[in-house]
Amino acid sequence: MARDSDSPRPRGLRTRAVHGTTHLPPGAVSTPIVHSSTFTSASIDDMMHQQELGADGSFYQRSGHPTLKAVEARLADLDGAERALLFASGMAAIAAAFLAHLEPGDHIVALQQSYGGTTELLHWGAKRFGWEVAFADAREPDAIERALKPNTRIVHVESPTNPTLCIVDLARTAERTHRHGALFFVDNTFASPAGQRAIELGADLVMYSATKSIGGHSDLLAGVVVGPAKVVKPVWKARVVFGGIADPTTAWLIERSLNTLPLRVAAANANALTIATRLAANPEVVRVFYPGLAGHANHEVAARQMALGFGPVVSFELRDAAQAQAVVDGLGLISVGPSLGGVESLVTLPTLTSHRMLSPSERRESGVADGLVRLALGIEDADDLWADLESALARSRVPAAR
Ligand SMILES: *Cc1c(COP(=O)(O)O)cnc(C)c1O
């Protein structure tokens, strides 16, 4: 953890988001973007040395480059981890982590509620690489433990989950996973490094779609893996082999976004709690899914493990699909679109996006009702967001029978 030289007090997250651990020499405040696909050396011996240094060397852009290394150092420090790797997308990061740590015949336990791309990746790995995959229901406290087998190599979770905001007790799951001798992976995208300290809660490897809160401005695609050097090293190798590294411009944009990450996450999380509370009191709304509400099944666990509030995503259930569509189409300030963690609020219908491929009964079983709406809150004024929602809800009301 970063400390000022004259003080033993650990620096706060907002300071670390801006300064990282390094004191820059006088000069440029912003890391220069080095656009170079290759790096020259003074001699063949020096070039061989750079190549051997791997992630720490300057050899060829696919193995690492200066703009990327600067942001990776800041990302690792922010999560309290030894190493971080930046990828071209969240899926490139997650795929590299699995490819690095699974061999044919290895068993992986993931959640039924996993991100759609992750579920597809696991099915793909099962078919082509011989991974043995089990899906545990995040709503059942002991489902992960029951799914463990002698050959379980990885337990991979998300918390909160999409779109019904299930909460997994990360410290407890880490302890059970480690007792079993497996690695504990956390996709921490929904909470972000500012909102949930997954490494400190016991994760061996933490993954992010940096496309979401870390990037935060809906203008790039990126992914991150953080963890101890010995768990990250094989993931670096997978990144070199499969080539999913982030380019210099993306790396620089991520570094710039990190400066405001804790502020943006705190603002979006505060908006989400305000909106969830008002939705819960609205007569049109059947049910609200948000871990910040006292009625949520795992509210206490969420309060313990989420540092800056309960995340930017709120889902709510309306009477039926027709009302959900009418409300979403009736919004003005809040635009229709997938994704989350940007400065602007977005809304989507999970039945038509992430859960489109499931049958209605499979959807109901996973808790995704026909009238479910998913809101991803941005950093706008909560009263403006609520005015938009409230009027769309009022216009969707069935006229009272006379
Ligand atoms: C978006 C997302 C991903 C995939 O990230 P991309 O950057 O789109 O590849 C993975 N996990 C979660 C939880 C996500 O929300």
Side-chain angles (χ1 to χ4, degrees):
M1 195 170 287
R3 288 166 197 278
D4 280 319
S5 49
D6 54 350
S7 149
R9 197 182 65 82
R11 289 179 178 181
L13 209 65
R14 280 162 56 171
T15 307
R16 282 156 63 191
V18 173
H19 293 279
T21 42
T22 51
H23 283 284
L24 287 173
V29 170
S30 163
T31 299
I33 306 178
V34 178
H35 281 297
S36 195
S37 58
T38 193
F39 299 90
T40 56
S41 301
S43 64
I44 286 289
D45 278 348
D46 189 34
M47 184 181 81
M48 300 301 283
H49 179 62
Q50 292 300 323
Q51 188 175 10
E52 277 155 22
L53 284 175
D56 297 320
S58 283
F59 177 67
Y60 185 67
Q61 194 180 108
R62 180 155 40 78
S63 61
H65 52 89
T67 322
L68 180 100
K69 285 179 203 166
V71 70
E72 286 179 344
R74 185 112 55 106
L75 284 162
D77 172 64
L78 205 55
D79 242 317
E82 259 184 293
R83 295 303 293 243
L85 297 174
L86 189 65
F87 288 82
S89 73
M91 284 317 303
I94 296 166
F98 290 172
L99 287 162
H101 286 284
L102 288 173
E103 288 182 13
D106 281 348
H107 184 243
I108 173 167
V109 179
L111 299 178
Q112 261 171 36
Q113 291 82 358
S114 292
Y115 178 72
T118 301
T119 304
E120 247 182 275
L121 168 65
L122 288 169
H123 286 310
W124 204 87
K127 203 167 156 195
R128 293 170 189 244
F129 295 138
W131 302 345
E132 212 189 301
V133 185
F135 292 99
D137 190 338
R139 292 168 296 185
E140 293 173 28
D142 296 318
I144 291 173
E145 232 180 325
R146 272 186 277 117
L148 294 172
K149 294 181 37 167
N151 58 335
T152 304
R153 174 91 182 118
I154 294 171
V155 171
H156 175 84
V157 305
E158 295 166 32
S159 183
T161 63
N162 181 48
T164 51
L165 292 308
C166 299
I167 295 292
V168 174
D169 187 330
L170 297 182
R172 183 182 126 152
T173 311
E175 193 265 319
R176 307 265 158 105
T177 302
H178 291 151
R179 204 194 307 155
H180 195 76
L183 291 168
F184 185 42
F185 285 12
V186 176
D187 178 339
N188 202 24
T189 298
F190 267 46
S192 94
Q196 186 161 262
R197 317 290 300 149
I199 292 283
E200 286 155 26
L201 290 162
D204 296 292
L205 218 53
V206 179
M207 280 139 266
Y208 298 97
S209 167
T211 311
K212 315 296 167 55
S213 302
I214 292 178
H217 296 73
S218 307
D219 54 7
L220 59 81
L221 216 62
V224 176
V225 168
V226 301
K230 76 172 193 311
V231 190
V232 169
K233 200 171 177 194
V235 185
W236 174 78
K237 183 76 187 166
R239 188 178 68 180
V240 174
V241 168
F242 291 92
I245 195 166
D247 64 86
T249 305
T250 301
W252 181 84
L253 281 167
I254 291 290
E255 187 185 86
R256 194 186 59 168
S257 292
L258 284 180
N259 294 326
T260 56
L261 177 71
L263 297 177
R264 288 184 285 103
V265 169
N269 290 1
N271 276 347
L273 182 59
T274 302
I275 297 299
T277 306
R278 293 183 190 176
L279 284 169
N282 187 284
E284 294 305 309
V285 175
V286 177
R287 190 173 163 194
V288 179
F289 298 84
Y290 193 62
L293 299 179
H296 186 281
N298 264 332
H299 172 66
E300 263 99 67
V301 177
R304 212 184 317 124
Q305 70 189 17
M306 299 185 81
L308 281 182
F310 299 90
V313 177
V314 177
S315 292
F316 60 100
E317 203 176 303
L318 297 171
R319 200 168 52 239
D320 52 27
Q323 190 187 19
Q325 190 160 351
V327 167
V328 167
D329 283 341
L331 293 168
L333 178 63
I334 303 172
S335 300
V336 179
S339 201
L340 60 118
V343 290
E344 63 288 296
S345 296
L346 295 170
V347 67
T348 183
L349 296 179
T351 52
L352 302 182
T353 53
S354 57
H355 291 64
R356 190 195 179 101
M357 303 311 267
L358 302 185
S359 70
S361 70
E362 282 175 318
R363 276 202 294 268
R364 263 190 297 280
E365 205 180 303
S366 61
V368 178
D370 292 343
L372 194 73
V373 179
R374 191 192 83 169
L375 263 178
L377 280 308
I379 64 168
E380 305 96 328
D381 289 296
D383 286 341
D384 293 332
L385 296 170
W386 179 244
D388 196 25
L389 276 162
E390 194 180 32
S391 81
L393 284 165
R395 277 180 275 122
S396 77
R397 190 173 299 146
V398 177
R402 319 208 284 137

